[in-house]
Amino acid sequence: MRFRPCIDIHNGKVKQIVGGSLRDQGDQARENYVSEKDAGWYARFYERDGLKGGHIILLNPETSPCYEATRAQAFLALRETPGRFQAGGGIKPDNAQEFLDAGASHVIVTSYVFQGGRVRWENLEKMKAAVGKERLVLDLSCRKKENAYYIVTDRWQNFTDVILTPRVLEELSGFCDEFLVHGVDAEGKTAGPELELVRMLGEWQGCPVTYAGGIGSLQDLGQVGRLGENRVDITIGSALDLFGGSMKYREVLDFCEKFTENSLNNGESVV
């Protein structure tokens, strides 16, 4: 279980928001934290600890008047720490290379692949052809409806008809290097992760998966580690002291390291 850092950018600022509150109209979101530091500062901070594989997410659509400011912040972070971060938000075949050239290790894609409520396999093929399987991450962020987790798109605002299951993970894994999964209804609330979702991700034994959403304590972290069977990496936003939360960044890093070491040695967790 590795800690994957995140830098979420909205309206040209590094922010932590309540995920389900994001609206394109008026570029609205319920904010938990708005940083006075730019995205480059966070990228350099994480780099000093040797962290890799985190994600930079642009939360404004290309049609937004704030998009260019958000994109500039993303590119600042990518250029200062080349090869360390994945980048997502409005990625398509015709702009993906710009993010890779700026320093992204991978591009993260959701809405281009899931359109009209379903998987557009032809678009998935185009993304794979454009950047290669080894540089593509699929964001399978989801929300619970009728006792199932449905993949959502367009900055988590629209439901698809695709239920996230081990079979779907297996089918999609042939096109990408990793998955990023936000438990959207828990995102930004620090009230606990979507444990049922984490369990399903841990039971699936495929490519790397990172889970985000609701982790607010070391106890939560331990639950994700156990239910995810030490296969599911984690990212934490609003709960971290870096973003005004109560979880100490250094303690999170230490916890993940010790949990993984202990699990590899004897199969027991540290909590």
Side-chain angles (χ1 to χ4, degrees), residues 51 98 119 210 226 228 251:
L51 297 177
E98 298 174 17
V119 181
T210 299
R226 288 192 299 273
E251 289 183 358

Side-chain angles (χ1 to χ4, degrees), residues 25-270:
Q25 185 175 6
D27 292 313
Q28 299 177 64
R30 197 169 116 211
E31 298 167 346
N32 284 334
Y33 184 84
V34 181
S35 180
E36 295 180 359
K37 299 179 174 67
D38 63 26
W41 184 91
Y42 285 95
R44 294 189 301 272
F45 179 89
Y46 292 131
E47 183 182 40
R48 286 195 293 270
D49 285 320
L51 297 177
K52 297 180 70 174
H55 52 277
I56 297 171
I57 303 296
L58 291 75
L59 294 174
N60 294 102
E62 284 186 279
T63 54
S64 165
C66 298
Y67 177 78
E68 287 304 321
T70 291
R71 183 179 181 273
Q73 282 292 305
F75 275 40
L76 172 65
L78 291 171
R79 286 174 175 144
E80 294 201 11
T81 56
R84 289 194 172 271
F85 281 92
Q86 304 164 0
I91 304 290
K92 304 183 290 294
D94 60 0
N95 68 1
Q97 193 60 47
E98 298 174 17
F99 288 86
L100 295 176
D101 290 344
S105 65
H106 299 67
V107 291
I108 306 168
V109 179
T110 307
S111 300
Y112 179 75
V113 169
F114 297 92
Q115 293 184 4
R118 62 184 181 85
V119 181
R120 298 286 181 175
W121 295 101
E122 66 277 15
N123 286 359
L124 191 51
E125 291 281 6
K126 290 176 183 177
M127 279 304 314
K128 182 180 175 182
V131 302
K133 177 181 184 293
E134 69 281 358
R135 302 194 77 176
L136 181 60
V137 176
L138 290 181
D139 183 335
L140 306 181
S141 295
C142 51
R143 305 182 80 166
K144 197 169 188 179
K145 181 174 69 171
E146 299 170 350
N147 294 317
Y149 285 99
Y150 284 80
I151 295 172
V152 291
T153 66
D154 304 305
R155 291 154 302 284
W156 309 326
Q157 296 169 81
N158 297 319
F159 279 85
T160 69
D161 61 6
V162 184
I163 297 173
L164 190 60
T165 64
R167 181 183 62 81
V168 168
L169 289 170
E170 192 64 37
E171 287 178 348
L172 294 174
S173 67
F175 294 87
C176 65
D177 197 42
E178 298 185 9
F179 294 124
L180 172 62
V181 180
H182 289 81
V184 174
D185 291 325
E187 182 72 19
K189 297 179 180 178
T190 67
E194 296 272 9
L195 296 178
E196 183 182 345
L197 176 59
V198 171
R199 181 184 288 108
M200 188 265 288
L201 297 174
E203 289 173 351
W204 182 71
Q205 300 183 35
C207 65
V209 179
T210 299
Y211 170 81
I215 296 172
S217 67
L218 294 182
Q219 183 179 5
D220 289 342
L221 205 50
Q223 287 183 301
V224 171
R226 288 192 299 273
L227 292 176
E229 300 186 23
N230 201 36
R231 298 191 187 100
V232 179
D233 293 338
I234 57 96
T235 189
I236 303 172
S238 296
L240 274 188
D241 56 0
L242 293 177
F243 302 111
S246 61
M247 294 184 74
K248 295 181 179 178
Y249 167 75
R250 296 291 168 192
E251 289 183 358
V252 169
L253 293 190
D254 289 344
F255 187 99
C256 290
E257 183 178 351
K258 290 175 182 176
F259 187 97
T260 299
E261 181 181 352
N262 208 41
S263 296
L264 292 175
N265 287 340
N266 53 33
E268 296 178 358
S269 69
V270 295

